[in-house]
Amino acid sequence: MLAPTPIHRSDTMAVDPTDEHYCAPKRVGILTAGGLAPCLSSAVGALITEYAIKHPTTEIICYLNGYKGLLLGDSITVTPAIRAQAAALHYFGGSPIGNSRVKLTNVKDCVKRGLVKEGENPQQVAADQLIKDGVEVLHTVGGDDTNIAAADLSKFLLGHDYHLCVIGMPKTIDNDVFPIKQSLGAWTAAEQGAIFFENVVNESTANPRMARMQLACASF
């Protein structure tokens, strides 16, 4: 296993707790959702590392498997040991906290999956869980659907006098999240896709039976 990069506090990253504008959240939540992209693990690692440096007293919980974990109340707490090793996540793909395509607006699907009971509103269930967990800031790593769902949750909670700050991190290999110039994962997907294509082209010179290859996404 690769050795993690140690955490160093720099003058530019330091936070002064005595500053009148300083207000570190007591607890934050992180989830990854939507389609897979080669940035999820790195994004989670970066978030944990940044909090370890700038807001070391803030508690961090990660909901497992995206909105599925939020609906089921399935989460893990980021311990000091995890914080110390979080930089190692930059070396791995996938998502260390799991991923899913669960949509809070698709009530029928949520009931079918057993995530909510018949007659329950997934948005209400998710909101109740966030309140129960005391989450003040929710970091969502996902595409349009993921971050719009999070914004809707924030609006829903505001109507119930609970202030939830949502910070969406746009990720997609398609690089089509307007108005973001470059979404997380797009560069790596294009880079690795080019390498894969080059290897296939080289291999095709030795195999006359090889026909063609179609990339899933071409708008890099």
Side-chain angles (χ1 to χ4, degrees):
M1 180 176 178
L2 295 171
T5 304
I7 296 174
H8 296 290
R9 182 186 296 274
S10 64
D11 292 337
T12 57
M13 300 177 75
V15 176
D16 181 9
T18 63
D19 188 281
E20 62 178 345
H21 300 295
Y22 174 82
C23 184
K26 293 181 179 179
R27 179 174 290 181
V28 302
I30 301 174
L31 65 80
T32 62
L36 294 178
C39 64
L40 300 175
S41 181
S42 189
V44 173
L47 281 170
I48 294 174
T49 300
E50 284 297 291
Y51 271 103
I53 293 172
K54 297 182 178 180
H55 303 299
T57 61
T58 296
E59 294 181 30
I60 306 173
I61 63 173
C62 295
Y63 290 103
L64 302 180
N65 303 309
Y67 286 114
K68 176 182 178 181
L70 178 56
L71 289 173
L72 296 176
D74 192 9
S75 64
I76 60 172
T77 300
V78 176
T79 64
I82 294 177
R83 291 181 187 234
Q85 301 289 326
L89 293 175
H90 291 299
Y91 299 106
F92 296 90
S95 173
I97 56 178
N99 215 59
S100 71
R101 286 183 173 274
V102 172
K103 294 184 179 181
L104 300 180
T105 53
N106 193 336
V107 180
K108 185 177 180 180
D109 181 62
C110 288
V111 172
K112 182 180 179 181
R113 290 171 181 245
L115 304 179
V116 297
K117 298 177 182 178
E118 191 73 45
E120 286 186 325
N121 179 357
Q123 192 176 57
Q124 179 70 63
V125 173
D128 289 343
Q129 188 63 50
L130 288 168
I131 294 174
K132 180 182 178 181
D133 292 338
V135 172
E136 299 176 11
V137 178
L138 179 64
H139 293 274
T140 56
V141 187
D144 281 337
D145 289 341
T146 299
N147 292 318
I148 288 175
D152 288 342
L153 263 180
S154 178
K155 183 178 180 180
F156 181 85
L157 285 165
L158 186 61
H160 291 73
D161 201 30
Y162 187 90
H163 297 270
L164 173 71
C165 175
V166 172
I167 302 178
M169 300 177 68
K171 68 92 186 120
T172 171
I173 62 174
D174 300 324
N175 198 31
D176 59 354
V177 181
F178 182 81
I180 304 300
K181 185 176 182 180
Q182 181 175 304
S183 61
L184 298 176
W187 183 276
T188 302
E191 183 179 62
Q192 293 301 313
I195 294 173
F196 181 72
F197 182 75
E198 180 181 14
N199 291 336
V200 170
V201 170
N202 290 335
E203 288 291 321
S204 69
T205 61
N207 183 2
R209 292 178 180 275
M210 186 174 291
R212 64 180 181 178
M213 176 189 69
Q214 180 177 349
L215 292 177
C217 302
S219 57
F220 299 126

